[in-house]
Amino acid sequence: MAYAGNLERNIDVLRVGLLCGDYPVGDYNKFIVHEPKERVICAAAFRERVLHHALMNVCELYFEKWLIHDTYACRKGKGQLAAVERARDFARQHEWFLKCDIRKYFDSIPHEGLKRMLRRKFKDERIVKWFERIIATYETEPGRGLPIGNLTSQHLANLYLDPLDRFQSVDYLRYMDDFVFYSDSKAVLKSILGALPAFLGTLGLSLKEGAFINRTAHGMDFLGMRVWPWRIGASRASLRRYRRKMAMCERMYQKGFIDEGILQSRATALTAFLAQGDTVSWRRRFWGSRRKESGSNRVQRGGSWNNDADNCTSSNRNNNNPSNRNNNNGFRLCCSAAPHHEDAVPARFPFAACGRAGARLSRSDENQGRPAQVAGANTTGGRFHFLTKGCRP
């Protein structure tokens, strides 16, 4: 990188600029993203991002000290998954919830209100002036707005809603501008909903249309997940987005725009988000249907080599008559109790030494001309079993 190529000089320029208060800020590269909704992203120049990190390395501890426990955005040890799990915990404790959002939050934050809050929090005038300079570099309308994409913007936006965090004494959690109140009384939540618009008005903000009260047992969409008292799943919007993005990645791969490594990394990233919830069954159905559509001969777990994708599962049956004979049965070896160590393989199964203890082995008849394969470890117990396709051991 150009910055790292002359690191000592760039760091010295930053040090002098911080002391003099004239380091340049506001050099943004703007672009639009459309997921999950259209937003304008402002990516600061790299040298300016170094300044943001230097500033927050000093100030983050103070931000952390002021915020309540149950706000989860842009904080170490918190984050999206912790917020979703906390929402599930509250759903187990209460019968009703009130879910709200703020209309165009980053674009609506008033500069003067944010500056007043910073002056109350920080007594060092140099720190306040640096924040004021950064805030002044961006406007969506006169005196309003923070640039989405800056590290400082995330922390400042999170801090600005600190008065809302102390608005009511009922159980409550917030992730940036998405927040939820919990209670066993629907009337209490109705009173909170009635008071919210006026309170947010004192901060120069407005409540987004669509705030609603519902029973926790009915589930709640929150941060891309669906939260019930007994489980966390993925929201319908997240499942649709997963299908659409996976289809797009596969089309790009088929047309040669990306290679297999990039396809795998993108699929892994998309799947990692869904894996935060109870989505195993849904993902199995999704990928199972795509295997059949692809016509691949790839062997699925527990299967054998047998002509095409439909025949590659051990549960498949061809419904042949009793006189039918073929040479394409395969088998695997499983272990139903984990041995004490990897070398503890029973002597009566010497071929298991090909892999780790309990490795699944797939073998074919010599007439098919395919060598034996080690499909991977599966140590779920201490008894070995043959699982075959179409016959019993």
Side-chain angles (χ1 to χ4, degrees):
M1 294 178 65
Y3 193 92
N6 201 0
L7 184 61
E8 289 187 7
R9 181 179 180 279
N10 287 325
I11 294 298
D12 189 57
V13 170
L14 173 61
R15 182 184 66 83
V16 174
L18 282 170
L19 293 174
C20 297
D22 60 357
Y23 194 77
V25 293
D27 183 10
Y28 297 125
N29 174 32
K30 298 182 181 181
F31 57 95
I32 298 175
V33 298
H34 300 276
E35 291 287 351
K37 60 183 178 182
E38 185 173 302
R39 290 189 177 99
V40 177
I41 305 299
C42 299
F46 186 83
R47 57 174 175 75
E48 192 172 336
R49 279 181 272 168
V50 176
L51 166 65
H52 295 168
H53 280 269
L55 191 59
M56 293 314 305
N57 283 345
V58 174
C59 300
E60 185 176 2
L61 291 176
Y62 296 95
F63 280 67
E64 184 69 24
K65 179 176 66 174
W66 295 320
L67 294 170
I68 67 169
H69 177 270
D70 282 315
T71 180
Y72 288 85
C74 202
R75 299 177 70 184
K76 294 178 181 178
K78 303 283 187 177
Q80 178 257 352
L81 180 57
V84 170
E85 291 176 342
R86 183 63 163 167
R88 180 198 56 197
D89 294 341
F90 280 143
R92 290 172 175 173
Q93 301 171 27
H94 299 287
E95 185 178 357
W96 298 90
F97 70 86
L98 164 62
K99 185 174 182 293
C100 305
D101 192 1
I102 293 176
R103 181 179 176 273
K104 295 184 178 180
Y105 177 52
F106 276 80
D107 290 346
S108 301
I109 296 175
H111 290 181
E112 288 305 317
L114 180 58
K115 291 175 183 178
R116 283 196 301 271
M117 183 177 292
L118 289 170
R119 292 189 193 104
R120 290 197 301 268
K121 301 292 187 183
F122 291 100
K123 303 306 178 186
D124 190 323
E125 189 64 24
R126 292 172 299 176
I127 295 289
V128 174
K129 285 187 177 299
W130 270 112
F131 278 125
E132 289 179 345
R133 284 195 65 201
I134 293 172
I135 291 169
T137 61
Y138 181 85
E139 288 182 331
T140 53
E141 57 182 87
R144 287 183 180 271
L146 289 179
I148 299 175
N150 279 1
L151 177 65
T152 50
S153 296
Q154 304 299 313
H155 285 282
L156 292 174
N158 204 27
L159 177 67
Y160 191 66
L161 284 181
D162 181 61
L164 174 65
D165 297 339
R166 307 171 194 280
F167 172 59
Q168 291 288 336
S169 59
V170 300
D171 282 337
Y172 159 94
L173 67 90
R174 177 172 66 85
Y175 188 93
M176 197 55 74
D177 61 325
D178 292 316
F179 52 99
V180 190
F181 297 91
Y182 291 89
S183 177
D184 290 321
S185 170
K186 186 177 181 180
V188 169
L189 297 181
K190 282 185 175 181
S191 67
I192 294 174
L193 180 58
L196 267 175
F199 179 80
L200 291 175
T202 63
L203 298 175
L205 304 171
S206 58
L207 193 65
K208 185 177 180 179
E209 293 182 6
F212 66 97
I213 299 171
N214 203 349
R215 293 183 184 273
T216 54
H218 293 170
M220 175 185 70
D221 285 350
F222 188 58
L223 306 180
M225 310 305 286
R226 183 75 177 175
V227 182
W228 290 272
W230 55 88
R231 66 183 285 261
I232 297 171
S235 68
R236 291 181 179 179
S238 294
L239 297 179
R240 287 195 300 268
R241 191 178 305 119
Y242 183 86
R243 290 192 193 98
R244 185 175 66 253
K245 289 192 172 184
M246 282 307 310
M248 180 181 66
C249 289
E250 289 180 346
R251 287 195 300 270
M252 293 177 68
Y253 172 69
Q254 291 165 2
K255 293 179 180 179
F257 296 132
I258 60 175
D259 59 25
E260 188 173 352
I262 295 176
L263 174 64
Q264 180 65 43
S265 64
R266 292 186 181 181
T268 301
L270 290 170
T271 304
F273 179 81
L274 290 190
Q276 296 178 125
D278 181 12
T279 59
V280 174
S281 297
W282 185 91
R283 285 183 280 130
R284 283 176 178 168
R285 292 194 302 272
F286 174 81
W287 286 109
S289 66
R290 300 187 80 77
R291 283 196 185 100
K292 293 177 182 178
E293 292 169 1
S294 67
S296 169
N297 287 316
R298 184 182 301 169
V299 178
Q300 297 184 32
R301 176 178 177 181
S304 63
W305 291 300
N306 193 357
N307 304 326
D308 58 37
D310 284 339
N311 286 340
C312 282
T313 57
S314 58
S315 60
N316 185 71
R317 294 294 178 264
N318 288 330
N319 296 321
N320 293 329
N321 63 56
S323 63
N324 179 269
R325 294 291 183 268
N326 57 46
N327 63 356
N328 52 16
N329 278 329
F331 68 89
R332 68 171 176 145
L333 178 67
C334 338
C335 178
S336 56
H340 293 295
H341 53 83
E342 291 186 357
D343 298 328
V345 180
R348 62 184 181 279
F349 297 115
F351 52 83
C354 295
R356 295 173 58 186
R360 293 187 282 110
L361 304 180
S362 299
R363 291 190 174 183
S364 68
D365 191 273
E366 292 182 356
N367 294 334
Q368 289 185 284
R370 295 185 178 92
Q373 291 186 349
V374 178
N378 181 22
T379 55
T380 56
R383 296 184 301 279
F384 287 83
H385 303 280
F386 285 104
L387 300 181
T388 66
K389 178 179 175 59
C391 64
R392 301 182 65 180

